[in-house]
Amino acid sequence: RCTKSDCPKTSTRGQQGGGDWDGPVVSSVGMGSTGRWTIEQVVAVAPSPSSLGAAESIATPQRWIDLGCDDRSLWGRCSGSGAEPYETAVDHVDVAWRCSCPSRKLPCKHAVALLVMWVRGVVPEAAPPAAVARWVRARAGRADGTHDRESTATPGTDAAIGTATGTAATGTGTAATGSGGDPEPSDRPEPEPEPAPLPAADADRARDERVARMREGLVELDRWLEDRIRTGLSDPSLARYATWDDLAARLVDARAGALANRIRRLAGVVGSDPDWHARVLAELGVLHLLAQAGQRLPDLPGALADSVAAATGWQVRHADVLAGVPDTDHWIVAGRSDTREDRIEVRRCWLRGASSGRWAMVLSFAAYRQSLDTSLTVGTAVRADLHRYPGPALRALVGERFGDPEPLVTPPASSIIEACDEIGGAIALEPWLERHPATVLAAMTRGSGRWMLTDDAGHLPLVASPRALATVLAATGGELATLTVEWTPHGVIPLTVHAADRALDVGPVADPSFVEVA
């Protein structure tokens, strides 16, 4: 009997119809809707960046036969390392997948590749094969309390599409690491029927088990931090990426993906500059704070508990966010900032309410060779509903939009002192904060050996690529100008120069050659 909680034969996570969604954040499109997904949703269900990269290599129709889709499902047969092609099917409405490959990752790279091709529009529409149609009918029958006798065919016959490896699973987005390869055929789990929907009590138990797993991961993180402090930052093992990656992988298994990302980013700081010891030590302190706070999550006040949960990696369903009360305003798109994490590009669009003055951050994601969301243009404003995530964090989802975007709208600017007060207040609520926006009226000058933004009351150090700094200097001529910047612990990054006749977008792009300089 397998006792690993991620094993498809023992895990109750992700079973359709049971309890809370315990996987990645997926937009409502593809969940009870026949609309085509976006690449962001595919990124969300992929178990890891390496799996997404493995799927990319086979996401071409030439690798598939009997490829097709309809308003409910996708299907195809992919030639792999086995003697027979792997038969894959995806239910893109109720979000489920099946595949005959031996992979234990949920979803496997074949299911992710099907979704990638579907998003690109290269999967032809067709009538589903009999096996796929039976599988979809069986799922629909369980949802409405009926049962389709044809769906009970034994796995291995023409009525079965693969094994329980991918049966009604939804993945976790952070539950798998590694190269993206499949295990040996001898490791393949025995086929078994799809499970029935989880009762409410089982759903609560699954959620409690997840909390317990995350707490165990935080305890292990704290122990690892103590070892690092005891041995010192001169320990040669810190120069090996595997030291950090092994810890990140354990945090992923504990469902603390956000902390795993911070650990992997920290690995790149070691030895990067003469001051790397101070930077690593400061980040280790933040990780210790989060590990301690995460272990005391039930005892924290509501807003602080939400903030800690989000910082450690607890996911919130898009549907739950969109069900909240909207924040309706004229939202000015003040700035844009792109970063790359592994093969995933992340875009942050900073919005500011024209009436409320409140900030909001809208995230979008793109896999390798895909495009980020461009519906929010810097320098425009749109009247829309924003649905905010729990806690004091600024992240939000754009709901209904009212009318077309208005061009050339400049957000209100503050002084350096006022911006520092606002950022300081946000850090007081969330000491682990890594980024915060501000719009200031300041001039770009040189002092103390580095570039900075100054006014008659204070200054902020700048960190950006040489090209961005040169562009800002050329656009402003060293005079006072309205600029939107993104605060980081190392300085502010210029995002937008708001001129009288245009908004100049100078925010960072997700390019591996981007280098921050002081």
Side-chain angles (χ1 to χ4, degrees):
R1 175 178 175 82
C2 179
T3 58
K4 182 173 175 60
S5 59
D6 280 339
C7 177
K9 293 177 66 61
T10 60
S11 175
T12 58
R13 293 182 293 106
Q15 295 170 355
Q16 292 297 315
D20 292 346
W21 178 273
D22 198 26
V25 177
V26 181
S27 176
S28 57
V29 176
M31 298 175 62
S33 169
T34 58
R36 190 177 297 269
W37 288 21
T38 65
I39 191 62
E40 177 180 347
Q41 294 168 270
V42 180
V43 171
V45 300
S48 67
S50 61
S51 296
L52 195 64
E56 179 70 33
S57 65
I58 59 173
T60 172
Q62 288 74 20
R63 292 288 302 272
W64 295 74
I65 55 178
D66 299 333
L67 193 63
C69 69
D70 61 10
D71 60 358
R72 176 66 184 254
S73 57
L74 316 168
W75 59 87
R77 301 167 63 204
C78 181
S79 299
S81 57
E84 297 293 331
Y86 297 132
E87 298 182 358
T88 309
V90 176
D91 182 340
H92 59 78
V93 174
D94 284 342
V95 193
W97 28 74
R98 303 189 73 172
C99 186
S100 60
C101 77
S103 176
R104 296 190 183 206
K105 295 184 178 182
L106 304 175
C108 67
K109 64 182 180 181
H110 306 100
V112 177
L114 262 182
L115 287 167
V116 170
M117 291 189 293
W118 180 52
V119 167
R120 293 175 178 170
V122 298
V123 178
E125 294 187 3
V132 175
R134 279 191 287 268
W135 176 60
V136 171
R137 286 202 303 272
R139 291 182 48 74
R142 279 190 300 275
D144 61 19
T146 62
H147 184 68
D148 186 350
R149 291 182 58 86
E150 291 183 351
S151 69
T152 61
T154 302
T157 67
D158 62 351
I161 305 294
T163 71
T165 303
T167 299
T170 57
T172 64
T174 57
T177 59
S179 62
D182 295 332
E184 295 298 323
S186 59
D187 293 333
R188 181 172 176 172
E190 297 176 5
E192 62 182 33
E194 292 183 359
L198 280 174
D202 290 344
D204 292 340
R205 183 169 61 252
R207 185 168 56 250
D208 292 342
E209 289 174 354
R210 178 182 177 181
V211 172
R213 284 182 65 187
M214 180 175 284
R215 189 179 187 280
E216 291 173 0
L218 296 177
V219 170
E220 183 176 0
L221 171 62
D222 231 1
R223 187 181 303 118
W224 186 91
L225 292 171
E226 291 176 1
D227 292 341
R228 298 282 72 76
I229 297 302
R230 185 176 61 254
T231 58
L233 297 183
S234 60
D235 186 350
S237 66
L238 294 183
R240 296 194 295 268
Y241 185 79
T243 301
W244 305 88
D245 194 50
D246 290 346
L247 174 63
R250 294 196 294 273
L251 288 171
V252 166
D253 290 339
R255 314 298 291 278
L259 293 181
N261 290 337
R262 295 186 78 126
I263 288 291
R264 290 193 174 103
R265 289 197 298 268
L266 189 56
V269 177
V270 176
S272 61
D273 58 61
D275 297 328
W276 71 266
H277 296 87
R279 296 172 61 186
V280 170
L281 185 61
E283 182 64 15
L284 292 181
V286 171
L287 289 169
H288 173 68
L289 178 63
L290 284 170
Q292 288 289 317
Q295 295 174 52
R296 295 167 172 78
L297 205 59
D299 302 325
L300 299 178
L304 181 58
D306 289 336
S307 175
V308 172
T312 53
W314 191 274
Q315 300 286 354
V316 182
R317 295 190 307 169
H318 277 202
D320 291 340
V321 177
L322 293 172
V325 178
D327 187 355
T328 306
D329 204 335
H330 276 89
W331 293 101
I332 304 170
V333 186
R336 170 211 54 83
S337 177
D338 297 351
T339 55
R340 183 187 297 276
E341 295 184 8
D342 292 329
R343 295 190 178 188
I344 306 301
E345 294 183 6
V346 182
R347 169 164 292 173
R348 292 178 300 277
C349 285
W350 296 107
L351 312 183
R352 188 162 193 180
S355 300
S356 65
R358 299 180 64 193
W359 286 100
M361 176 184 66
V362 177
L363 284 177
S364 64
F365 306 89
Y368 180 61
R369 293 182 179 177
Q370 297 300 305
S371 299
L372 290 158
D373 178 30
T374 58
S375 63
L376 296 172
T377 304
V378 173
T380 65
V382 60
R383 184 166 180 80
D385 289 342
L386 284 193
H387 299 265
R388 294 181 179 271
Y389 279 74
L394 299 177
R395 189 180 176 188
L397 296 177
V398 180
E400 186 176 359
R401 306 189 189 197
F402 309 98
D404 296 329
E406 304 169 13
L408 293 178
V409 180
T410 300
S414 61
S415 67
I416 297 291
I417 293 295
E418 292 169 338
C420 289
D421 285 344
E422 182 179 11
I423 295 169
I427 296 173
L429 293 175
E430 298 181 285
W432 43 84
L433 195 66
E434 294 183 283
R435 300 173 186 272
H436 194 281
T439 300
V440 296
L441 181 63
M444 184 175 171
T445 59
R446 184 84 176 175
S448 302
R450 65 185 305 169
W451 289 102
M452 58 185 64
L453 289 178
T454 65
D455 61 12
D456 57 1
H459 67 272
L460 287 170
L462 282 166
V463 288
S465 66
R467 175 177 296 181
L469 292 174
T471 303
V472 174
L473 186 59
T476 62
E479 301 295 330
L480 287 174
T482 301
L483 299 100
T484 294
V485 298
E486 186 177 62
W487 172 88
T488 74
H490 314 296
V492 296
I493 301 173
L495 302 183
T496 313
V497 179
H498 299 279
D501 58 343
R502 59 177 174 165
L504 185 60
D505 183 357
V506 296
V509 296
D511 189 296
S513 64
F514 174 79
V515 179
E516 291 187 351
V517 297

